């Protein structure tokens, strides 16, 4: 069965610190990978996605993620976080023709001003 | 372009009752998926509809059901509510179902509280 693991439950950083959130997935075939963000009181929004091609994908708000197939990983990075990045971040995967997303449990990011 | 809308936004029910939640997808989107979000279990997939047909179903009991109408609007129903059904129910729409262009857009959710 497909599954997604996010290693950190809660990350606390100071502004300007670099961010890396881990995500590993379990799936044997072709996968599509996503990072979603949920700001306090707001909808889930897509940060970035990987379908194929360049394994380093860039998303909105300065976020990027790298797909490493051999490690089944899709880690999210940002070189310098801002207070406004405080949110919960979800890694998700769907495979092949499957439409539904399998989500990780989420990582709560708190950025101290 | 209007986003995904869900009604009602908040709902309070008692155990044993049933509830119907509604979702209107983005105009032109034909696929609707439903998810349950709880602090303990995170986001879990309930079901996916495309062109009025259920394409996929998650691991939830039969008390959870859904349907999709010809205008792509979708409803989900939970019968015989239990305390554990308290959650945020999210609807997501996409142009098509599955495949690499399946980018899902989420609504604000319906917060269901079961007393």
């Amino acid at each position: 069965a497909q599954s997604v693991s996010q290693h950190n439950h809660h990350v606390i950083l100071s502004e300007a610190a670099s961010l890396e959130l881990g995500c590993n997935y379990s799936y044997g075939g072709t996968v599509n990978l996503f990072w979603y963000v949920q700001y306090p009181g707001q909808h889930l929004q897509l940060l970035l996605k990987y379908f194929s091609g360049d394994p380093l994908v860039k998303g909105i708000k300065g976020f990027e993620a790298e797909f490493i197939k051999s490690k089944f990983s899709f880690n999210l990075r940002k070189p310098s976080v801002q207070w406004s990045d405080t949110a919960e971040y979800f890694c998700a995967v769907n495979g092949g023709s499957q439409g539904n997303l399998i989500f990780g449990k989420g990582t709560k990011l708190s950025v101290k001003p | 372009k209007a986003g995904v809308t869900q009604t009602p936004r908040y709902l309070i029910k008692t155990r044993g009752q049933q509830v119907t939640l509604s979702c209107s997808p983005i105009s032109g989107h034909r696929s609707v998926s439903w998810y349950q979000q709880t602090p303990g279990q995170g986001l879990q997939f309930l079901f996916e509809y495309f062109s009025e047909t259920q394409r996929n179903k998650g691991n939830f009991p039969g008390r959870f059901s859904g349907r999709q109408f010809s205008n792509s609007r979708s409803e989900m129903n939970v019968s015989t509510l239990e305390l554990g059904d308290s959650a945020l129910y999210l609807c997501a729409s996409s142009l098509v179902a599955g495949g690499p262009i399946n980018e899902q857009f989420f609504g604000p959710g319906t917060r269901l509280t079961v007393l």
Side-chain angles (χ1 to χ4, degrees), chain A:
Chain A
Q2 297 178 44
S3 66
V4 178
S5 297
Q6 291 184 242
H7 313 301
N8 309 102
H9 178 64
H10 192 185
V11 172
I12 303 172
L13 295 172
S14 297
E15 276 194 315
S18 64
L19 170 72
E20 180 160 3
L21 301 183
C23 172
N24 286 90
Y25 66 92
S26 167
Y27 186 74
T30 304
V31 291
N32 306 310
L33 297 154
F34 306 82
W35 276 97
Y36 280 85
V37 61
Q38 192 170 36
Y39 296 103
Q42 293 190 28
H43 307 189
L44 268 174
Q45 300 173 42
L46 183 68
L47 265 183
L48 47 78
K49 60 192 176 190
Y50 172 80
F51 293 144
S52 63
D54 189 344
L56 184 63
V57 292
K58 295 193 184 300
I60 60 171
K61 305 189 181 189
F63 286 91
E64 65 178 31
E66 185 176 13
F67 170 51
I68 304 180
K69 191 175 180 181
S70 61
K71 294 185 178 180
F72 297 90
S73 71
F74 190 56
N75 292 353
L76 181 71
R77 300 195 291 248
K78 185 171 184 178
S80 175
V81 295
Q82 300 172 315
W83 177 79
S84 57
D85 294 324
T86 295
E88 191 156 16
Y89 293 80
F90 295 91
C91 181
V93 60
N94 70 2
S97 62
Q98 292 294 316
N100 61 286
L101 293 168
I102 306 296
F103 283 90
K105 289 283 176 75
T107 296
K108 197 164 288 190
L109 172 66
S110 299
V111 180
K112 298 183 292 185

Side-chain angles (χ1 to χ4, degrees), chain B residues 12-18 80-83 112-115:
Chain B
I12 299 175
K13 292 285 188 180
T14 56
R15 277 180 299 174
Q17 287 187 308
Q18 76 163 19
T80 320
L81 283 166
E82 300 177 0
L83 294 178
L112 172 64
T113 302
V114 182
L115 302 175

Side-chain angles (χ1 to χ4, degrees), chain B:
Chain B
K1 206 176 197 180
V4 178
T5 58
Q6 292 187 244
T7 56
R9 292 292 310 279
Y10 302 91
L11 208 45
I12 299 175
K13 292 285 188 180
T14 56
R15 277 180 299 174
Q17 287 187 308
Q18 76 163 19
V19 67
T20 299
L21 312 181
S22 181
C23 170
S24 292
I26 292 170
S27 177
H29 285 196
R30 295 169 60 197
S31 175
V32 172
S33 297
W34 288 89
Y35 297 84
Q36 182 196 65
Q37 186 177 19
T38 59
Q41 298 299 317
L43 280 147
Q44 294 186 285
F45 169 70
L46 280 155
F47 20 68
E48 177 194 13
Y49 287 88
F50 180 73
S51 293
E52 301 177 68
T53 301
Q54 188 180 89
R55 279 191 87 234
N56 202 359
K57 189 177 191 304
N59 189 25
F60 278 81
R63 300 185 296 107
F64 292 80
S65 63
R67 58 179 176 167
Q68 187 180 32
F69 302 95
S70 58
N71 62 358
S72 295
R73 192 176 68 83
S74 177
E75 288 181 348
M76 68 163 278
N77 184 278
V78 188
S79 63
T80 320
L81 283 166
E82 300 177 0
L83 294 178
D85 297 332
S86 294
L88 182 66
Y89 290 87
L90 295 173
C91 170
S93 79
S94 59
L95 273 171
V96 295
I101 62 170
N102 175 31
E103 178 177 337
Q104 298 197 7
F105 295 83
F106 284 82
T110 294
R111 172 77 61 187
L112 172 64
T113 302
V114 182
L115 302 175

